[in-house]
Amino acid sequence: MKPNIIHNIVICLAALLPVMVACNSQEESLPEEISEATLYLNIEPIGLTRAATATLPDNEKMYSVRVIILHPDGTVEHNKFYALDGAEEQNLILLKVTPNEKKKIYLFANEESESAVEGVVGVNSTLSAFFDSYGEGASGFEETVNGLYFTPDYSDGNPIPMSSMYEIDIPEKGVVEKTFYVVRVATKFTMNFMNWRGENVTVRNFTIASHADKNFLMAHVNDSEQNRQLFNGKSWIDWLREVSETSSENDDYATTEAAGWLKDYRLPAQANKQVVYTFPFPVTVAAAEFDENNLDDIKPGTASEAFYLPESKNPKADAADGEQEYTLTLNIVGNSDPFVRKLPNLKALFRNTNVVVNITMYKNLEMVVDVIPFTSVNVTPDYGLGKEDFTGYVVGKDENGNKCWYDGNYYDPVTAVPLYLGPKDNPGKFVTINNKEYLLVYADYERTAAKLDHFFEKETRKKYLLTPESITGYKYGNDMYLNKLQQRVWLDSGGDPNGNADAQAIYTALQNVGLNLKCCHILYEWDRLDWNKARWWGEKGIYPKYWFDVLGNRYPWSEGDTDAKRKNKLGEWVQYLE
């Protein structure tokens, strides 16, 4: 199957709303009077979700913090490690520092997650051991740390490493109080599945192609004209923070695009940039839940899975500005062909990016991609059944979001045709026609007479199809139908003034005998010679021998050759066929 795909793409940056955050304070409290230079650091992960209803998973918080401060000559002034009391979202640190200096402040969180680092001759140890080797007065730290890279391990809730570097001027005395942000060395993918179908859907697996396997510990953002224009005088960290704080989830794509994309950065030369990620286990999305007495209240089944990948660069072919592209592939149980789609408008996968992919399951798949600062997503599944009791049809929504029903295997594009129960003024309900109750099934949302597809009789549960074979019971072969006397006859619906040449000719022939009725789904049985006279020779006074109503009743032409006679036979069916 190659499903039709609707991909309305919305990219937004999540708003950061200020609320109180629990924190862990290190060192002494800030004194009232300061006679020397003091640095007061408030350390937080960038892109922290502050919405009252959202919480970060523990692996995205800080379990430890390390602060390394360098003098202007590059030697180490402070190298402080702080083990936090569990997972923290904020950490306050007070340090006395040498006055009248421009310092570089290196910040790290969750260093214990990395058992091995690479990239520098003689460095083959844990990240903590590397840091501990630089005591006060040591030199060479900046060059060495900028060369470090590692293979991230995000499995089993492993805390995500974070890093950043700031330059700051320290006065002769007084307090420099500032919030410093650490940036996660990771990208996050959140896959949200919403199932409007009436049966469970299982995603066997899904993949993302292609990502890198190694990252630098410190971000390597190029000092290029492209980046200078993007940052507009700010550091890349301040740019990223500002974009996240001034954006909201309601921004349209134009607003987000105006904020720009950080695309000019480097990965380690040793990184394999063509790794394909495969989610390790199946995802089952429960069926939609609905109330047959209130079909406007359908609750889709939902499932959500999150995973982490390294910062990556997968260049888009022929893109001159460094734009990237990434491909999602889903394999669904019961569907032989995978769903493959480029993730639209995901132009870069710089660290600390959260890609939210919303997959909506109707008869086809709809995909929406949001790219936001690092946040958590909380989706609560709804479970339930979703079949219409009388027909057994699967309840769902069509590609426009309208409520519909599916008959048969809705993974198959041949049978996955959305159907609409009941007339437009009473959808999903039985109607009484000529003293019998019927459930009408249409092939269009507007439920027009021309798109009446089939119907059910409630008392007998009989299903009436509106094909010529089903209405008449005749068999088709050799371009003609055989009636019950095995005579070769023509069947048609009375022609169409806007149809092909055959339809136009028959329509004209019936008008010539006074028939100008608008009823849909009425079949006419012609003697084959008479049909040819009407179609090819244009003879006057030629008409069918019989006509059929939708129930399969066969009438002589004389019992339906006028509007009054036809309506007399059809009765209340007329209002559903005109």
Side-chain angles (χ1 to χ4, degrees):
M1 166 187 173
K2 293 183 179 178
N4 296 323
I5 308 301
I6 301 174
H7 47 285
N8 299 320
I9 306 306
V10 180
I11 296 187
C12 62
L13 295 171
L16 302 182
L17 306 178
V19 298
M20 295 301 294
V21 181
C23 66
N24 184 43
S25 179
Q26 306 288 337
E27 302 293 337
E28 66 270 22
S29 300
L30 186 65
E32 293 183 2
E33 294 187 8
I34 303 296
S35 59
E36 53 195 352
T38 304
L39 183 60
Y40 191 47
L41 302 96
N42 173 29
I43 302 174
E44 296 182 8
I46 201 168
L48 183 65
T49 296
R50 303 291 189 84
T53 58
T55 57
L56 284 174
D58 284 348
N59 67 316
E60 297 177 17
K61 300 176 184 177
M62 302 182 298
Y63 284 80
S64 68
V65 170
R66 185 181 290 268
V67 180
I68 297 179
I69 300 177
L70 304 184
H71 291 295
D73 64 0
T75 58
V76 174
E77 178 177 1
H78 286 294
N79 182 348
K80 301 287 188 180
F81 174 79
Y82 305 95
L84 307 184
D85 185 16
E88 299 287 348
E89 298 177 357
Q90 185 183 36
N91 186 248
L92 303 177
I93 297 173
L94 183 64
L95 291 173
K96 297 176 182 179
V97 292
T98 304
N100 291 325
E101 286 188 349
K102 187 178 186 68
K103 301 181 185 297
K104 289 186 177 179
I105 302 173
Y106 284 83
L107 303 171
F108 306 94
N110 301 332
E111 64 185 61
E112 61 276 11
S113 294
E114 297 311 318
S115 59
V117 290
E118 306 173 75
V120 178
V121 176
V123 175
N124 185 15
S125 65
T126 66
L127 187 54
S128 293
F130 165 75
F131 287 144
D132 289 340
S133 68
Y134 284 86
E136 292 185 10
S139 61
F141 175 79
E142 180 176 10
E143 180 181 359
T144 306
V145 76
N146 283 333
L148 290 184
Y149 63 88
F150 61 98
T151 302
D153 178 11
Y154 306 119
S155 63
D156 301 323
N158 208 23
I160 296 173
M162 309 179 200
S163 68
S164 64
M165 190 279 289
Y166 286 82
E167 291 189 77
I168 190 167
D169 290 312
I170 301 297
E172 181 177 356
K173 66 177 181 178
V175 177
V176 176
E177 183 176 355
K178 181 178 175 65
T179 297
F180 297 86
Y181 296 93
V182 285
V183 181
R184 298 173 184 85
V185 189
T187 66
K188 181 178 182 180
F189 281 75
T190 303
M191 306 290 295
N192 295 325
F193 299 92
M194 183 178 294
N195 181 18
W196 289 98
R197 300 173 178 178
E199 296 180 354
N200 293 355
V201 176
T202 297
V203 179
R204 183 185 299 110
N205 60 53
F206 56 85
T207 66
I208 300 290
S210 298
H211 72 86
D213 64 345
K214 299 179 187 297
N215 280 172
F216 285 116
L217 176 62
M218 306 300 298
H220 282 222
V221 178
N222 290 325
D223 182 18
S224 63
E225 181 61 26
Q226 182 185 76
N227 282 341
R228 285 192 291 272
Q229 291 183 7
L230 178 65
F231 303 150
N232 193 25
K234 297 179 283 290
S235 70
W236 68 265
I237 295 179
D238 287 338
W239 169 83
L240 183 60
R241 175 188 57 80
E242 184 177 290
V243 167
S244 67
E245 289 182 350
T246 58
S247 301
S248 77
E249 294 179 352
N250 296 321
D251 287 346
D252 58 18
Y253 176 66
T255 302
T256 303
E257 184 71 5
W261 294 84
L262 205 173
K263 295 176 283 190
D264 192 5
Y265 54 93
R266 301 189 307 280
L267 300 179
Q270 298 82 356
N272 177 2
K273 303 178 182 65
Q274 296 299 313
V275 179
V276 176
Y277 171 82
T278 301
F279 193 71
F281 52 84
V283 179
T284 296
V285 191
E289 178 182 299
F290 77 104
D291 181 355
E292 64 179 6
N293 296 317
N294 182 14
L295 295 178
D296 288 325
D297 184 22
I298 297 180
K299 296 180 180 179
T302 60
S304 183
E305 298 290 347
F307 56 93
Y308 304 88
L309 297 179
E311 172 184 70
S312 299
K313 288 188 74 171
N314 190 47
K316 183 178 181 179
D318 302 324
D321 63 349
E323 183 176 333
Q324 304 164 29
E325 66 178 5
Y326 298 87
T327 302
L328 168 69
T329 300
L330 291 94
N331 291 286
I332 297 176
V333 173
N335 183 2
S336 59
D337 293 328
F339 169 92
V340 182
R341 178 63 56 181
K342 302 290 185 185
L343 293 178
N345 296 330
L346 176 57
K347 296 186 176 182
L349 202 55
F350 185 66
R351 61 185 60 192
N352 216 79
T353 299
N354 182 8
V355 183
V356 181
V357 182
N358 297 315
I359 304 293
T360 303
M361 299 169 172
Y362 304 131
K363 74 178 178 69
N364 49 26
L365 298 178
E366 175 183 285
M367 182 170 65
V368 178
V369 179
D370 295 337
V371 181
I372 60 179
F374 221 93
T375 62
S376 62
V377 176
N378 183 18
V379 178
T380 302
D382 292 319
Y383 297 94
L385 299 175
K387 283 193 175 183
E388 198 275 329
D389 286 341
F390 187 87
T391 63
Y393 292 170
V394 175
V395 180
K397 288 198 173 184
D398 63 17
E399 60 187 20
N400 296 316
N402 299 315
K403 188 181 306 156
C404 66
W405 291 257
Y406 294 105
D407 182 15
N409 178 11
Y410 47 82
Y411 292 110
D412 185 342
V414 175
T415 61
V417 177
L419 301 171
Y420 304 87
L421 302 188
K424 189 173 183 180
D425 59 351
N426 203 10
K429 303 298 182 181
F430 285 86
V431 294
T432 300
I433 304 174
N434 299 339
N435 299 317
K436 288 189 176 182
E437 289 187 274
Y438 297 95
L439 181 62
L440 308 182
V441 183
Y442 296 83
D444 69 336
Y445 175 70
E446 296 299 325
R447 295 164 170 84
T448 57
K451 291 295 185 177
L452 179 64
D453 187 78
H454 60 276
F455 59 91
F456 293 88
E457 184 181 333
K458 185 175 183 180
E459 182 179 1
T460 64
R461 303 186 72 90
K462 180 179 178 180
K463 181 178 182 179
Y464 290 84
L465 300 177
L466 298 181
T467 63
E469 294 88 345
S470 297
I471 291 175
T472 64
Y474 295 176
K475 293 183 179 180
Y476 182 77
N478 295 325
D479 295 327
M480 289 190 182
Y481 289 90
L482 294 176
N483 65 17
K484 294 180 180 179
L485 297 177
Q486 298 301 299
Q487 297 169 329
R488 299 172 69 188
V489 298
W490 287 100
L491 295 177
D492 67 35
S493 59
D496 180 355
N498 300 312
N500 60 24
D502 285 351
Q504 292 181 37
I506 296 302
Y507 181 82
T508 300
L510 293 181
Q511 279 197 315
N512 288 336
V513 294
L515 183 66
N516 192 23
L517 302 178
K518 303 298 183 184
C519 286
C520 301
H521 308 292
I522 300 301
L523 277 181
Y524 299 94
E525 178 182 332
W526 294 76
D527 175 87
R528 57 177 180 157
L529 179 59
D530 286 344
W531 188 90
N532 279 296
K533 288 179 180 179
R535 166 63 181 95
W536 298 107
W537 306 333
E539 293 189 12
K540 307 296 184 182
I542 305 298
Y543 46 82
K545 283 189 173 183
Y546 303 96
W547 64 278
F548 292 84
D549 64 18
V550 291
L551 296 171
N553 296 312
R554 184 174 183 247
Y555 303 98
W557 174 253
S558 60
E559 294 184 16
D561 59 357
T562 68
D563 185 72
K565 290 180 181 179
R566 185 73 59 86
K567 288 186 176 181
N568 182 59
K569 291 295 183 182
L570 294 175
E572 294 173 340
W573 272 106
V574 171
Q575 63 181 302
Y576 300 104
L577 299 177
E578 289 188 340

